[in-house]
Amino acid sequence: PTPPITPEKTPAERLAETMAELDRLIGLAESQEEVRPLANFLKVQAKRTQAGLPTTDLTLHMVFNGNPGTGKTTVARIVGSIFGAMGILKKGHLIETDRSGLVAEYAGQTGPKSHKKIDEALDGVLFIDEAYSLAPEESDNFAAEAVQTLLRRMEDDRARLVVILAGYSEPMDHLLASNAGLASRFRRRMEFQDYTAAELGRIFE
């Protein structure tokens, strides 16, 4: 017999499920306190748009500061799902990469490599882990080219792309301080604290 067709969830149902998943996360209270008000604000923005009222222009690009293993990728995936359910992004999928996915070894290859990775993330979230490795160095022009390509695409595809930079706090501050374009586009930051022993016990349980 043919199995019954499962009806597709509505955007409201998908959003409710994603927000519930966010609330279930252990040890990420600061992120939850950041993401939920943002989602509520975006709901209000959508209603104002529907009513023909003026809205606030805001950037959705983010910086996730914290050590490895503190839930940054998990929250990034949830953020993408929220934006997808709300219709801010058409898909809301997550593409995870790092320096090696954007920067090539030889001249002339970094631009095409960066464009290809960004194309994969269109209509979703591009999550760049250890993004501080893109900070400019005297002998490293390729990283600078990757950053300029990213900034250009963030402008050209601003309705189709959300970028999240992730990494240790101090090196990330250095990266943003090194490029005014990055600093102006990444004003929203989330801090990810290390798990306590009690939180690790709850996660294991």
Side-chain angles (χ1 to χ4, degrees):
T2 303
I5 298 176
T6 303
E8 186 175 345
K9 293 185 177 72
T10 66
E13 289 172 336
R14 290 191 289 121
L15 180 59
E17 285 186 1
T18 305
M19 295 306 294
E21 182 182 357
L22 175 69
D23 291 339
R24 286 194 299 269
L25 295 177
I26 296 170
L28 293 171
E30 291 187 30
S31 300
Q32 292 159 338
E33 291 169 3
E34 289 275 351
V35 174
R36 181 169 285 282
L38 175 61
N40 291 336
F41 178 76
L42 292 172
K43 287 181 186 178
V44 174
Q45 289 272 83
K47 291 184 181 297
R48 291 181 64 86
T49 299
Q50 292 171 3
L53 297 172
T55 58
T56 302
D57 187 24
L58 77 163
T59 176
L60 295 176
H61 307 300
M62 307 178 191
V63 174
F64 285 5
N65 288 333
N67 292 328
T70 49
K72 298 187 295 295
T73 307
T74 298
V75 173
R77 179 179 55 78
I78 289 175
V79 165
S81 296
I82 290 172
F83 290 165
M86 298 182 73
I88 295 168
L89 295 171
K90 188 178 294 185
K91 297 178 182 177
H93 63 297
L94 180 76
I95 295 297
E96 183 178 0
T97 190
D98 55 17
R99 176 191 168 95
S100 65
L102 301 171
V103 178
E105 297 180 9
Y106 303 103
Q109 295 182 345
T110 292
K113 189 172 187 177
S114 296
H115 280 299
K116 182 179 179 181
K117 185 59 64 175
I118 295 168
D119 286 342
E120 293 176 23
L122 284 180
D123 299 316
V125 173
L126 178 64
F127 180 84
I128 306 177
D129 199 14
E130 299 180 348
Y132 49 79
S133 63
L134 297 174
E137 302 291 345
E138 289 185 7
S139 59
D140 185 8
N141 293 325
F142 297 159
E145 182 181 357
V147 169
Q148 291 306 314
T149 301
L150 178 65
L151 289 172
R152 186 165 61 252
R153 291 296 300 272
M154 288 170 64
E155 177 62 27
D156 294 345
D157 298 300
R158 57 185 177 274
R160 300 184 61 192
L161 182 67
V162 170
V163 179
I164 297 177
L165 306 179
Y168 297 107
S169 297
E170 289 188 13
M172 291 299 292
D173 290 342
H174 172 67
L175 170 65
L176 295 175
S178 70
N179 188 299
L182 282 177
S184 67
R185 287 169 175 81
F186 291 90
R187 296 175 181 173
R188 189 179 302 276
R189 300 193 187 192
M190 294 189 196
E191 300 293 334
F192 289 74
Q193 306 299 328
D194 292 345
Y195 292 112
T196 65
E199 289 165 349
L200 290 172
R202 289 174 58 202
I203 290 171
F204 182 73
E205 184 182 4

